[in-house]
Amino acid sequence: MKNERTWRWEHFLIGGLAGVVIALGLWTLGNLGASESSAQAATPAPVAASTVAWEDRITPDLVSKSGLSVADEVNVANAPDMPPPITRSEQRIVEVHFDVVENVAAIDPATGVEFETWGYKIAGDDTPVIGTPGPVIRARVGDVFRFTVTNPASNTHPHNVDFHAVTGQGGGAEATVVAPGETATIEARLLYPGVFMYHCAFGDVPEHIAHGMYGGIVVDPEEPLPPADKEFYVVQSEYYTDSVEEGLTELDRDALLNEHPSMVVFNGYKGALTENPLAMNVGERARFYFVNAGIDLDSNFHPIGSHWDAVWQEGATYSPPIRGSQTTLVPAGGGVVADIVGYVPSRIILVDHALTRAFYKGAIGFLDVAGNPNPEIFEAIEAP
Ligand SMILES: [Cu+2]
C-alpha cells in the first residue's frame, strides 16, 4: 500500500533518522568543544527534529468559521447504526443537539436487572429509552462542531459533555455544564480525524459514567477510508451494581472503587448484540467504530471465527491501518476502527477476550454472515 500517505510517513522516518544522526554529530562536536571552552557548545541544536515535526503537521488548513455553511447530511445515529460516510470535501458546520436522559432501564432484560441509567439522546427523538450509549456523531476533520445540550427540567442532576475530539477546556465540559432546565452550546473545531469517546465529566465523574453517560464521535479524515459495505457503532462499558438479581439495583461504590464491575456490556445492556445480532453478507466488508467507555477495563476486542482484516489502532485514521490481526487492544477512554471481511456463512462472536467478561458479565455480541459456503476456506469433514 504505497499510497501518498505511506510515502510521507516514510519521509518522516527517514527525516527523523537523519535528524538523529545530525544531532549526534553536533552533540559530539559540542562535547569536544566543551572540554576546551564553554558549556554553550555542548547543547545540540534542535534543527532537524523540529523541522520534520512542523512539516508533518497533520491537522488541516482551516477555513474561517465565518465562511462556512451548515452541513446538510445526516450527522447522528443510534447504536448500532452509523451515519453514512461524509462525501463532501469542504469544511462545514455540523450542528448536533442532545437531550440528557435520566431514567430507570433494564440493563439485563433477560433476568430483569434494572438500574438508574443516565445518558444522552438526539433532541426530539423519543425512540431510545435507555440513553446509553449516547448517539454516535459523525463529522469531517476541519469541521466546526456546533453542539447544544439540554438538560430537561424534569431531571435531577447537573451534567455536561467532555468530547475527546474537542480541543478546548475539558473537551467542552466546562462550557456545557447544564443544571436541570438549562441549555448550553459550544463551537469546536475538529482538528484530528478518528473515533473518539465522549462522556459526562461533571462532579463525581466516575459516578456519572457508571450510570451510562458516554458515547462516540467519529471524525472522518480528509482522505476517506477505503469504502466498507456495512458500518457499525459499538460501545463497551461497565456497570457496578450491588446485585445481578431481578429488580432495581443500586450503584456499588466499593465495586467502583475496586474497579470490579458486575457487568461488562456492548451497547448499553446485556444482550444488546446477541438478542439483535448484527448482519453482513459473504463478500462484504464490515467496519466497526468501537469505543471502550470503560470506566476502568481495557478491552481485548476479538471476532471469534474471523480476523480483523484492517485495524486503525486507537481509532487514529490519519495513519495507515495494520492488516490481519486477531485481538485489538482498546484502552479505557479509547476507540478503534476495525474491519471484518465475510468469507463464509457463520456467526462471528464478538467478545472482550478477557473471557470472564464475555461469558459471565455480558461482553459478547453476534455478527451473522449470510451467503454461500466455501469449502476452500472452511468445511467440516465427516469421520470415515
Ligand atoms: Cu452527568
Side-chain angles (χ1 to χ4, degrees):
M1 237 181 81
K2 296 278 183 195
N3 60 24
E4 199 181 339
R5 178 172 296 168
T6 326
W7 280 110
R8 274 188 296 167
W9 192 243
E10 285 168 358
H11 289 163
F12 172 79
L13 290 172
I14 293 162
L17 280 172
V20 168
V21 170
I22 291 165
L24 276 171
L26 288 170
W27 181 80
T28 309
L29 286 171
N31 273 359
L32 287 173
S35 63
E36 294 171 0
S37 55
S38 71
Q40 188 183 358
T43 308
V47 177
S50 63
T51 305
V52 169
W54 281 111
E55 282 178 0
D56 281 53
R57 173 169 66 90
I58 66 167
T59 54
D61 294 326
L62 302 180
V63 178
S64 171
K65 274 164 80 165
S66 59
L68 299 184
S69 57
V70 175
D72 57 2
E73 73 259 348
V74 175
N75 295 105
V76 286
N78 292 314
D81 295 335
M82 278 292 299
I86 291 172
T87 54
R88 59 183 159 81
S89 55
E90 324 81 45
Q91 295 167 12
R92 295 274 170 83
I93 298 167
V94 167
E95 292 184 318
V96 173
H97 189 171
F98 279 179
D99 286 342
V100 173
V101 178
E102 291 181 7
N103 212 339
V104 170
I107 57 172
D108 184 356
T111 57
V113 177
E114 293 182 337
F115 187 60
E116 187 177 328
T117 51
W118 306 344
Y120 307 95
K121 70 183 183 74
I122 302 163
D125 178 4
D126 289 327
T127 43
V129 291
I130 186 164
T132 181
V136 61
I137 298 162
R138 190 167 205 166
R140 182 177 176 274
V141 70
D143 285 350
V144 169
F145 177 45
R146 182 182 290 157
F147 174 74
T148 299
V149 59
T150 296
N151 193 356
S154 53
N155 282 350
T156 306
H157 307 276
H159 302 284
N160 64 10
V161 194
D162 166 356
F163 289 96
H164 292 190
V166 164
T167 305
Q169 184 59 50
E174 190 173 286
T176 56
V177 174
V178 277
E182 292 182 343
T183 291
T185 300
I186 56 169
E187 283 186 357
R189 191 71 77 146
L190 301 172
L191 296 178
Y192 291 85
V195 51
F196 301 95
M197 181 187 181
Y198 67 78
H199 61 90
C200 183
F202 183 82
D204 183 339
V205 178
E207 178 187 14
H208 284 250
I209 297 176
H211 279 281
M213 303 198 79
Y214 41 76
I217 172 169
V218 173
V219 182
D220 283 353
E222 286 187 301
E223 183 184 316
L225 300 188
D229 302 289
K230 299 279 192 321
E231 293 192 319
F232 302 115
Y233 164 56
V234 176
V235 179
Q236 177 168 330
S237 64
E238 299 146 22
Y239 286 113
Y240 296 81
T241 60
D242 63 356
S243 160
V244 287
E245 305 292 322
E246 182 180 359
L248 182 60
T249 58
E250 299 291 330
L251 180 66
D252 183 338
R253 289 206 158 270
D254 287 338
L256 182 58
L257 189 64
N258 294 321
E259 306 183 8
H260 189 234
S262 54
M263 291 188 200
V264 183
V265 299
F266 292 150
N267 282 356
Y269 63 94
K270 212 170 174 180
L273 297 183
T274 52
E275 297 305 311
N276 303 288
L278 306 174
M280 67 181 296
N281 297 309
V282 168
E284 288 186 332
R285 172 178 295 273
R287 179 162 296 153
F288 286 84
Y289 290 90
F290 181 90
V291 168
N292 179 16
I295 304 170
D296 295 314
L297 305 179
D298 294 342
S299 174
N300 314 276
F301 195 36
H302 173 71
I304 296 176
S306 187
H307 295 78
W308 299 121
D309 183 84
V311 174
W312 284 265
Q313 292 174 311
E314 300 201 12
T317 47
Y318 181 89
S319 300
I322 64 163
R323 303 295 305 270
S325 78
Q326 59 188 312
T327 299
T328 188
L329 183 64
V330 189
V336 74
V337 182
D339 286 8
I340 287 176
V341 174
Y343 284 103
V344 290
S346 58
R347 168 163 281 181
I348 295 171
I349 304 168
L350 306 162
V351 293
D352 181 336
H353 211 292
L355 285 175
T356 298
R357 302 170 197 165
F359 277 78
Y360 306 137
K361 296 190 175 185
I364 186 167
F366 299 147
L367 169 60
D368 288 339
V369 185
N372 293 324
N374 183 348
E376 293 294 337
I377 292 179
F378 182 82
E379 69 176 326
I381 304 297
E382 298 281 341

